[in-house]
Amino acid sequence: MHIVASVIVQGVLPPLTDAHTIMLRLATRLGARAHSFNAGARAVAVRSGVRTCGPTAAPALPPTYGALSRNAVRLFAAASGGRVDLKKVQSLASTLDSSEKAVTQYLKVYKQSATRRFGVLKVGGGVLQNEMDDLCESVAQLVQVGLIPIIVHGAGPQLNHSLKEHGIVSSYVNGLRVTTPEILSIARKVFQAENLKAVKALEAYGVRARPIQSGVYEVELFDNGSLGRVGTVTSVNMEAVNEALDAGCVPVLTCMGQTNDGQFLNVNADTAAQTLAVAAQPMKVVYISANGGILDHNREVIQSIDVNYDFEHLLQQLQHGDRRKLLEIKELMTQLPRNSTVSITSASDLARELLTHSLSGTLITNKERLLKFHSFDEVDEERLLLLLEQAFGAPLVPNYIDAIRDKVHTILVSENYLACAVITNEVGYPYLSKFAVSQSVQMEGLGARLWKEIAEDIPTMMWRSRKVNPVNRWYFQRSTGSATVGDWTVFWYGLEDYAAALEPIKKILALPKDVARPPPPPPKPEYGTRRTSKVQTAWCNVGLLGARGHTGGHLIRLIENHPDMRLAVAASRAMAGRPVSDVVEGVSTDMLFSNPSPDEVRDLDTEVDLWFLAMPDKQADIYLPSIGESTPVIDLSADHRFDNKWVYGLPEIDPGRRQEIRMSDRIANPGCYATGMMTSLRPLLAAPNKRMRSIIAGTPSAFGVSGYSGAGTTPSAKNDPERLADNLMAYSLQGHTHEREVSHQLHELCDTFNVLRFTPHVASFFQGIHLTIHAELKTAMSREDVLHRYRVFYEKEKLIEVQSDIPEVVSIVNKPNVVIGGFGIDSTGKRLVITTVIDNLMKGAAVQAMQNANLVMGLEEYQAIIKEPSNLV
């Protein structure tokens, strides 16, 4: 039993504050160590007329949303017409007694995988029989936010009942049923009936579901037929499963397999789910259990298990069924990616276990080792600071480590610096100064593993957290007392009563802030204030000089799809007089191409609010004198990329660049190759806050291959499909403009970077760029370290995707983002190879120009670029 008494009092601690109400929450764990908890601690209690309450829920915070992987977008589109409404997230968060931000955070993690499915759900026959409504409601909650599980179900109780009705008595070998031909015939009918029942029940809850009763498991006789018609799985065919997922349907599978000659064999449901999981490689595998998790010797749910740390001693404590289950799960996890996790929970708590910080089942993980230190001497301070600043979303104060260097109690850090805890001696009890888990591994159990290590090693501890922190729910479950004063909540465990906490609370509240959160930025200029239409229209009138080319066509499509822009001028000398819709596919405007002279451009400028110059190099200056100095210009040529009077328009390479673009009237749009190369190299250079030092040694090099659209529309050998057929053509072997551009811009950002070497090629495909970049590193790094560095650097960038796999050009065509991947490291740890793909006409030109135009006009940055409205996750 866990008793929680939350008492609201005033004036109890006058030395702390006279102005604030202090909320004390006192909890006592009876008959066990203070840090051992039950999820039931959140219960609201009223005892003896004293007002008691649970922890106050954190206020809803604005959701965070980012660029989704292709598979996640596909899955979203299939699940809910391409969009997940924020209102659904808010509604679900309320239903699950969680915060909107917490649910959103879990969704972001589940959608990061570019190659794997979300989850495999194993459902026993008892759940179908007794908890169908709870199961369907939980699955519906997942599907409404775009998460589509694969369900594998058994039907053991139903089969037993049917056999009893038919008067058939089963025989067993070592506790396993022998499946005779007669039993198999009945089993097939039972499994089919339960499968259709589950599908109909899901559809009654608004979930599109698809029954899959055969064709997935190829089997052979188990143990030479010692169990009769029982099969062991030899291979899994995912085709029908994937088709269901791509159609937005939940696949519902029976556990029946077929041999090569078409003979049906019964397959154990757990085995069926595990072999399917190995084939699907999901982020989550979930077992629905009537117990709600694995039970300890006190019949209480064990909240987390790490197979590397907890396995041996747990086997001695568990009941036979749970022991066998844990052995099977450990074997399964050796065949899944390291960051995959397994949960065992109840049907009613499924969504709560997967989407909230609540402790609603058993989470089983396979995590990296935790390292323990008692000083900073053996800690990589740079990597520790990088982790902390990424986790807190802001830089730490410059002297954070120096200020606590001689006060260290314990430092715990995972071997790849993905999680850490810094505990000091400065308040009378061990004080948790910092606790952080990288966003790349959140919800995978590493934080729980870290906390368990702390709790086992440190019997008493205190810490503080902003009272609006959504993680506080998690902290409340792990504390035995807390006091909320002003903006802070102070937590503790291991203290006998709140009187022992009074003096330490004073010291904790007096500690200086150690996160240097910047002051709120000035309000972002909004359309209609920063930039008002010259002719008082409700939209921005756009002029496009150079509308005939490939980039011009993409810009016209972006403008037509923009809610706050209208095309006012489409200039092309070659197409003058022709309808734009005849030349540019997919647009409906009735405008004609024109060919204005510089003087005519001066007249047009009185009605144009923004100009795009999409002309060849050395043409922009013909028209620029005709455009007013206060009229924003986005120049897509290379003419002004080396001119410091123009702002270089690549927002992702410098935190302050967006504001520079907003406040400027002259923007030099980056080159296509240059965008790919700069975004590929930027995380290896010093970060603006100097916490991340440059690690490039020597001169990096890039091998680039572009589609022939990059050579423009003027006929040449470089855009002649016949010449390029089955061919690869190198050009500009020395001094390519983009080589000089990257070298110049990166040196401006980091003076230790001097030059890049680049060799471009053109190939027979039309659109897209592939870059292979080589860099020597100053110090040896693991592949995981480099990948983590990139993910941290681009964590909040919607148009830059970092993935582990090698990206391909075909995956980026007509997409608005850059994809960086590969991350090959040689045996010395110092030679890095990165592969990057970008659409030269999109993020390499038109999309980048539109992104800059949105910023300079005070509009939402990704309007017309990311099609989902900004209120969608």
Side-chain angles (χ1 to χ4, degrees):
M1 181 176 64
H2 190 105
I3 300 175
V4 177
S6 301
V7 186
I8 297 180
V9 297
Q10 287 187 337
V12 174
L13 302 175
L16 288 176
T17 175
D18 292 322
H20 294 92
T21 296
I22 298 171
M23 184 174 71
L24 291 178
R25 170 181 167 273
L26 308 175
T28 305
R29 171 70 163 158
L30 303 181
R33 291 181 63 182
H35 59 265
S36 299
F37 281 78
N38 232 331
R42 292 173 294 132
V44 176
V46 178
R47 296 272 195 269
S48 305
V50 178
R51 182 184 176 190
T52 64
C53 63
T56 304
L61 297 175
T64 54
Y65 49 91
L68 305 179
S69 66
R70 294 185 303 280
N71 274 9
V73 170
R74 244 176 45 192
L75 187 144
F76 264 40
S80 51
R83 46 178 73 177
V84 175
D85 198 322
L86 176 58
K87 291 182 179 178
K88 292 182 178 179
V89 176
Q90 293 170 332
S91 173
L92 181 58
S94 176
T95 301
L96 300 179
D97 190 27
S98 182
S99 73
E100 171 191 323
K101 185 171 184 180
V103 173
T104 302
Q105 189 179 19
Y106 278 87
L107 288 173
K108 284 184 66 179
V109 170
Y110 289 136
K111 293 161 198 166
Q112 284 175 353
S113 173
T115 59
R116 294 186 285 127
R117 297 297 185 178
F118 155 62
V120 172
L121 194 62
K122 190 272 172 177
V123 179
V127 173
L128 296 183
Q129 190 173 61
N130 303 315
E131 303 174 65
M132 182 73 86
D133 285 340
D134 287 340
L135 173 68
C136 293
E137 183 177 1
S138 292
V139 172
Q141 290 170 340
L142 297 178
V143 171
Q144 75 171 337
V145 290
L147 302 178
I148 306 182
I150 305 167
I151 296 178
V152 180
H153 70 83
Q158 295 89 332
L159 177 59
N160 291 336
H161 178 74
S162 184
L163 292 176
K164 185 177 180 179
E165 283 189 334
H166 284 81
I168 297 174
V169 178
S170 299
S171 60
Y172 293 85
V173 175
N174 296 324
L176 301 174
R177 189 201 312 266
V178 176
T179 301
T180 64
E182 186 180 23
I183 290 176
L184 181 65
S185 175
I186 294 174
R188 286 188 60 193
K189 295 175 183 177
V190 169
F191 292 171
Q192 289 171 0
E194 291 302 310
N195 184 260
L196 292 175
K197 187 186 298 182
V199 169
K200 290 179 180 178
L202 286 167
E203 291 183 337
Y205 275 80
V207 176
R208 296 176 61 206
R210 182 175 294 181
I212 300 179
Q213 300 180 353
S214 62
V216 175
Y217 301 105
E218 186 171 315
V219 297
E220 59 186 23
L221 280 174
F222 174 80
D223 194 27
N224 295 318
S226 63
L227 295 177
R229 302 294 175 88
V230 173
T232 183
V233 178
T234 57
S235 65
V236 176
N237 179 5
M238 291 291 293
E239 183 177 357
V241 175
N242 288 334
E243 285 183 358
L245 291 170
D246 290 340
C249 299
V250 174
V252 184
L253 283 69
T254 65
C255 50
M256 191 67 69
Q258 288 176 283
T259 63
N260 280 331
D261 58 4
Q263 171 66 54
F264 282 96
L265 298 179
N266 188 12
V267 178
N268 175 271
D270 282 348
T271 300
Q274 290 158 11
T275 54
L276 185 81
V278 172
Q281 296 286 285
M283 293 190 72
K284 293 291 300 187
V285 178
V286 184
Y287 293 82
I288 301 299
S289 163
N291 291 330
I294 289 182
L295 306 182
D296 63 15
H297 60 282
N298 293 320
R299 305 299 293 169
E300 293 183 353
V301 172
I302 300 172
Q303 292 160 359
S304 65
I305 298 172
D306 189 307
V307 293
N308 293 316
Y309 288 86
D310 307 316
F311 184 75
E312 296 300 332
H313 79 270
L314 274 179
L315 284 184
Q316 310 305 316
Q317 303 177 22
L318 299 179
Q319 300 285 336
H320 172 73
D322 283 341
R323 189 184 308 129
R324 187 183 66 211
K325 177 81 70 181
L326 188 57
L327 285 167
E328 292 173 352
I329 289 172
K330 183 180 182 183
E331 173 61 26
L332 169 64
M333 296 188 80
T334 65
Q335 302 174 74
L336 297 178
R338 184 74 178 253
N339 63 342
S340 292
T341 60
V342 175
S343 288
I344 303 175
T345 190
S346 65
S348 59
D349 282 335
L350 171 61
R352 185 172 287 106
E353 168 71 9
L354 299 184
L355 293 172
T356 76
H357 299 314
S358 299
L359 307 174
S360 306
T362 300
L363 175 66
I364 304 174
T365 59
N366 180 23
K367 294 293 103 188
E368 57 190 77
R369 292 186 306 126
L370 296 176
L371 309 176
K372 183 184 297 184
F373 307 101
H374 296 288
S375 76
F376 284 103
D377 294 343
E378 299 179 73
V379 175
D380 187 329
E381 294 181 15
E382 180 184 348
R383 293 176 71 190
L384 183 69
L385 287 170
L386 183 63
L387 167 62
L388 290 171
E389 292 183 342
Q390 177 265 329
F392 284 92
L396 301 182
V397 295
N399 64 339
Y400 169 71
I401 287 181
D402 290 338
I404 63 172
R405 194 177 294 278
D406 59 351
K407 303 173 184 176
V408 170
H409 179 285
T410 302
I411 301 169
L412 284 167
V413 63
S414 67
E415 57 187 339
N416 287 316
Y417 283 74
L418 297 176
C420 73
V422 179
I423 302 158
T424 64
N425 290 308
E426 52 186 326
V427 300
Y429 294 103
Y431 172 68
L432 182 62
S433 173
K434 286 286 170 280
F435 183 87
V437 180
S438 169
Q439 290 195 13
S440 64
V441 294
Q442 285 182 4
M443 286 70 81
E444 294 176 11
L446 186 55
R449 173 67 209 159
L450 179 60
W451 192 272
K452 186 175 181 180
E453 188 80 7
I454 295 170
E456 290 176 351
D457 194 48
I458 302 174
T460 303
M461 189 174 73
M462 303 185 74
W463 67 100
R464 74 180 182 183
S465 173
R466 294 278 180 185
K467 69 179 182 181
V468 296
N469 188 347
V471 181
N472 284 349
R473 182 184 300 274
W474 196 80
Y475 285 152
F476 275 114
Q477 293 173 342
R478 287 160 173 78
S479 63
T480 55
S482 66
T484 298
V485 184
D487 293 334
W488 293 100
T489 297
V490 178
F491 297 92
W492 62 84
Y493 66 72
L495 299 181
E496 292 183 3
D497 53 42
Y498 79 84
L502 296 185
E503 287 303 316
I505 288 174
K506 296 178 190 178
K507 295 178 181 179
I508 289 172
L509 294 175
L511 291 173
K513 296 178 181 178
D514 45 27
V515 177
R517 297 188 186 278
K524 178 181 173 183
E526 295 294 337
Y527 179 74
T529 55
R530 160 96 170 93
R531 304 285 186 183
T532 303
S533 172
K534 294 176 181 177
V535 292
Q536 301 301 311
T537 58
W539 53 81
C540 166
N541 295 294
V542 177
L544 172 58
L545 303 182
R548 172 203 174 200
H550 301 308
T551 298
H554 278 285
L555 273 171
I556 290 172
R557 280 187 284 271
L558 287 169
I559 294 166
E560 182 162 285
N561 289 320
H562 199 298
D564 294 313
M565 289 187 183
R566 298 292 185 273
L567 185 63
V569 179
S572 168
R573 179 171 49 85
M575 296 294 167
R578 292 187 59 182
V580 171
S581 57
D582 284 359
V583 178
V584 181
E585 185 178 352
V587 299
S588 58
T589 178
D590 56 2
M591 177 176 289
L592 302 179
F593 283 105
S594 60
N595 181 27
S597 67
D599 287 339
E600 290 170 326
V601 167
R602 181 177 289 107
D603 294 334
L604 291 168
D605 186 60
T606 61
E607 297 182 357
V608 170
D609 302 309
L610 168 78
W611 289 96
F612 288 110
L613 306 188
M615 300 176 294
D617 293 350
K618 304 187 186 307
Q619 298 292 310
D621 285 344
I622 297 173
Y623 294 93
L624 277 171
S626 301
I627 298 174
E629 292 182 359
S630 62
T631 304
V633 176
I634 315 291
D635 182 11
L636 284 82
S637 76
D639 292 0
H640 299 98
R641 295 172 190 163
F642 302 87
D643 186 345
N644 289 336
K645 296 177 183 177
W646 288 60
V647 173
Y648 189 74
L650 189 54
E652 292 89 351
I653 61 172
D654 184 19
R657 189 60 55 92
R658 283 182 168 85
Q659 190 62 16
E660 291 181 40
I661 295 170
R662 287 189 183 106
M663 304 309 295
S664 177
D665 294 313
R666 295 292 184 267
I667 310 299
N669 215 60
C672 51
Y673 272 125
T675 298
M677 290 187 285
M678 274 189 286
T679 53
S680 299
L681 291 169
R682 183 65 184 92
L684 302 177
L685 305 180
N689 60 14
K690 304 302 181 186
R691 295 297 191 193
M692 188 188 287
R693 296 192 296 266
S694 297
I695 57 173
I696 291 182
T699 302
S701 64
F703 180 97
V705 181
S706 171
Y708 60 84
S709 62
T713 55
T714 302
S716 72
K718 290 186 291 184
N719 60 16
D720 182 354
E722 293 185 6
R723 176 79 176 270
L724 292 169
D726 301 319
N727 194 11
L728 184 69
M729 186 184 301
Y731 64 98
S732 297
L733 301 183
Q734 296 287 344
H736 189 281
T737 300
H738 293 176
E739 178 185 274
R740 294 185 289 111
E741 180 181 340
V742 173
S743 301
H744 172 77
Q745 293 296 336
L746 291 184
H747 180 74
E748 289 284 302
L749 290 169
C750 179
D751 57 11
T752 61
F753 185 90
N754 291 313
V755 68
L756 162 83
R757 297 305 181 199
F758 168 54
T759 308
H761 302 72
V762 62
S764 57
F765 56 88
F766 177 73
Q767 194 170 345
I769 285 174
H770 187 286
L771 288 159
T772 304
I773 297 172
H774 297 253
E776 297 292 329
L777 306 182
K778 292 179 180 177
T779 57
M781 296 183 71
S782 69
R783 183 176 186 271
E784 290 72 22
D785 289 342
V786 177
L787 185 58
H788 177 62
R789 186 179 178 108
Y790 274 73
R791 283 175 171 162
V792 168
F793 194 94
Y794 288 128
E795 181 183 19
K796 297 180 180 179
E797 295 299 342
K798 299 181 183 180
L799 299 184
I800 298 185
E801 178 183 336
V802 177
Q803 65 179 47
S804 177
D805 298 333
I806 298 173
E808 299 178 359
V809 171
V810 69
S811 69
I812 202 66
V813 173
N814 287 323
K815 301 295 196 311
N817 55 319
V818 181
V819 181
I820 305 170
F823 299 98
I825 291 278
D826 73 353
S827 58
T828 70
K830 291 187 176 183
R831 182 171 174 269
L832 170 66
V833 182
I834 300 167
T835 54
T836 298
V837 293
I838 178 175
D839 189 322
N840 55 298
L841 301 179
M842 298 291 282
K843 179 64 173 171
V847 162
Q848 186 59 64
M850 181 56 73
Q851 187 179 359
N852 287 325
N854 283 330
L855 288 169
V856 81
M857 295 306 296
L859 303 172
E860 202 282 324
E861 182 176 348
Y862 303 103
Q863 275 189 304
I865 297 171
I866 298 177
K867 293 183 180 180
E868 289 79 11
S870 61
N871 67 330
L872 302 181
V873 175

